[in-house]
């Protein structure tokens, strides 16, 4: 069996939100689909470890903000690498309340549902929601897919760097310093020295400050350990030992905990 076939399924990028009494909560997910049209029902899958999961069960409603290719990538990391239990993820985020739920304005559309059923499946809860409101903010920009997030956003020079570098600009220069985010593994590669980036510069994926980055030894052997998520096959390859990642670190793709990773090399 070749489980890599699962990568051919289509995934989106969504900010899932709900409420903890009067406090907005949310997390990043990539699994959602419409199930029926009359009535309109939506399915989402949420890791049981996510605090948002707990809040949806209590509040009985959830909202999906469907991110576009123009959405700030720090939304994905900001909602994906911290817990709403201990953090205000909506600080400095442009949002509005609809049907008692927070909606991300940088999305290209939103869906609001009341929970009508749920199912516990291994590490996740599947929620079935009946659509009670929906609207479009941006009808011109394509919705962001996980493939776009992985290949275009995470795999290139940070979009807020001073210059965009073409492939030929970096080939052959093996002494260029590379700095890696300790939280999400994003690598900064650029002609601008990392030390010269502004003090308020943050990781374009998870929003962590410049101080959260470590210099990668580019002369290290290519035999560095690689860990793979057993759920989505995302590979963590880092100069930071996998064991030293925070205990609450989760897979940036499917949200599975660190314990779900296995060493493959």
């Amino acid at each position: 069996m070749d489980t890599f076939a699962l990568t051919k399924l289509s995934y989106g990028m969504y900010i899932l939100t709900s409420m903890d009494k009067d406090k907005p909560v949310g997390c990043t997910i990539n699994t959602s689909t419409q199930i029926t049209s009359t009535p309109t029902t939506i399915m989402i899958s949420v890791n049981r470890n996510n605090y948002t999961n707990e809040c949806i069960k209590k509040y009985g409603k959830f909202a999906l903000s469907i991110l576009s290719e123009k959405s700030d990538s720090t939304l994905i990391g900001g909602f994906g690498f911290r817990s709403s239990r201990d953090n205000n993820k909506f600080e400095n985020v442009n949002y509005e309340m609809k049907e008692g739920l927070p909606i991300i304005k940088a999305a290209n559309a939103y869906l609001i549902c009341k929970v009508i059923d749920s199912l516990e499946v291994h590490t996740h809860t599947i929620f079935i929601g009946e659509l009670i409101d929906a609207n479009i903010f941006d009808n011109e920009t394509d919705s962001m897919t996980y493939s776009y997030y992985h290949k275009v956003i995470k795999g290139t020079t940070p979009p807020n760097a001073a210059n965009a570098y073409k492939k030929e600009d970096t080939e052959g220069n093996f002494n260029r310093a590379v700095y890696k985010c300790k939280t999400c593994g994003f690598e900064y590669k650029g002609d601008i020295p990392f030390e010269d980036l502004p003090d308020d510069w943050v990781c374009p994926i998870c929003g962590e400050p410049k101080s959260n980055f470590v210099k990668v030894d580019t002369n290290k052997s290519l035999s560095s350990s690689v860990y793979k998520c057993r759920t989505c096959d995302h590979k963590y390859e880092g100069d930071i030992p996998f064991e030293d990642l925070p205990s609450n670190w989760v897979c940036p793709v499917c949200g599975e905990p660190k314990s779900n990773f296995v060493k493959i090399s």
Side-chain angles (χ1 to χ4, degrees):
M1 180 172 65
D2 185 0
T3 57
F4 189 72
L6 294 170
T7 64
K8 302 306 179 184
L9 289 172
S10 179
Y11 297 91
M13 295 301 293
Y14 315 101
I15 303 299
L16 171 68
T17 57
S18 191
M19 295 292 293
D20 177 12
K21 298 179 181 178
D22 59 349
K23 175 187 175 182
V25 298
C27 64
T28 304
I29 67 170
N30 67 355
T31 306
S32 178
T33 190
Q34 180 180 346
I35 300 176
T36 62
S37 58
T38 307
T40 303
T41 54
I42 304 295
M43 180 277 291
I44 59 172
S45 178
V46 192
N47 193 293
R48 291 186 192 179
N49 291 330
N50 286 357
Y51 188 59
T52 304
N53 184 317
E54 179 182 330
C55 294
I56 292 173
K57 290 174 179 175
K58 292 179 180 178
Y59 195 66
K61 293 196 297 184
F62 64 83
L64 276 181
S65 294
I66 304 169
L67 298 183
S68 79
E69 292 181 356
K70 289 183 179 179
S71 298
D72 190 336
S73 59
T74 59
L75 283 169
I76 299 169
F79 278 86
F81 291 95
R82 303 175 180 85
S83 172
S84 290
R85 187 188 304 274
D86 308 310
N87 297 273
N88 176 12
K89 296 185 180 182
F90 293 83
E91 187 176 10
N92 302 319
V93 172
N94 188 13
Y95 73 97
E96 64 178 279
M97 300 298 292
K98 294 284 187 180
E99 298 288 337
L101 290 165
I103 302 299
I104 306 299
K105 296 294 294 291
N108 63 0
Y110 71 83
L111 310 173
I112 297 177
C113 299
K114 65 177 181 180
V115 177
I116 58 173
D117 206 351
S118 65
L119 176 66
E120 300 296 331
V121 182
H122 302 301
T123 58
H124 284 62
T125 302
I126 295 175
F127 291 101
I128 308 297
E130 183 175 336
L131 191 69
I132 59 175
D133 191 22
N135 210 339
I136 295 173
F137 291 136
D138 180 356
N139 205 27
E140 302 297 322
T141 308
D142 289 338
S143 295
M144 186 186 297
T145 63
Y146 166 67
S147 177
Y148 181 92
Y149 166 72
H150 181 70
K151 295 178 181 179
V152 178
I153 297 178
K154 191 170 184 178
T156 61
T157 302
N160 56 344
N163 296 294
Y165 302 100
K166 297 180 181 179
K167 184 177 181 181
E168 57 267 24
D169 292 333
T170 59
E171 287 182 343
N173 187 350
F174 300 106
N175 295 318
R176 180 174 293 116
V178 176
Y179 287 79
K180 177 172 286 189
C181 177
K182 291 187 287 186
T183 300
C184 69
F186 175 82
E187 292 185 351
Y188 172 83
K189 307 173 185 178
D191 285 334
I192 302 170
F194 185 79
E195 295 81 1
D196 292 345
L197 290 172
D199 291 338
D200 60 354
W201 184 89
V202 298
C203 175
I205 301 301
C206 67
E208 289 287 352
K210 182 179 172 183
S211 59
N212 195 54
F213 278 68
V214 293
K215 188 174 182 179
V216 176
D217 183 359
T218 55
N219 294 316
K220 276 186 68 175
S221 167
L222 294 178
S223 61
S224 298
S225 296
V226 178
Y227 288 78
K228 184 168 73 172
C229 177
R230 287 180 290 186
T231 299
C232 70
D233 288 337
H234 173 74
K235 293 179 181 178
Y236 174 83
E237 305 173 68
D239 188 59
I240 307 162
F242 186 80
E243 295 78 5
D244 292 344
L245 290 172
S247 59
N248 62 349
W249 185 89
V250 297
C251 176
V253 178
C254 67
E256 290 285 4
K258 182 179 172 182
S259 59
N260 196 54
F261 278 67
V262 292
K263 186 176 180 179
I264 60 173
S265 69

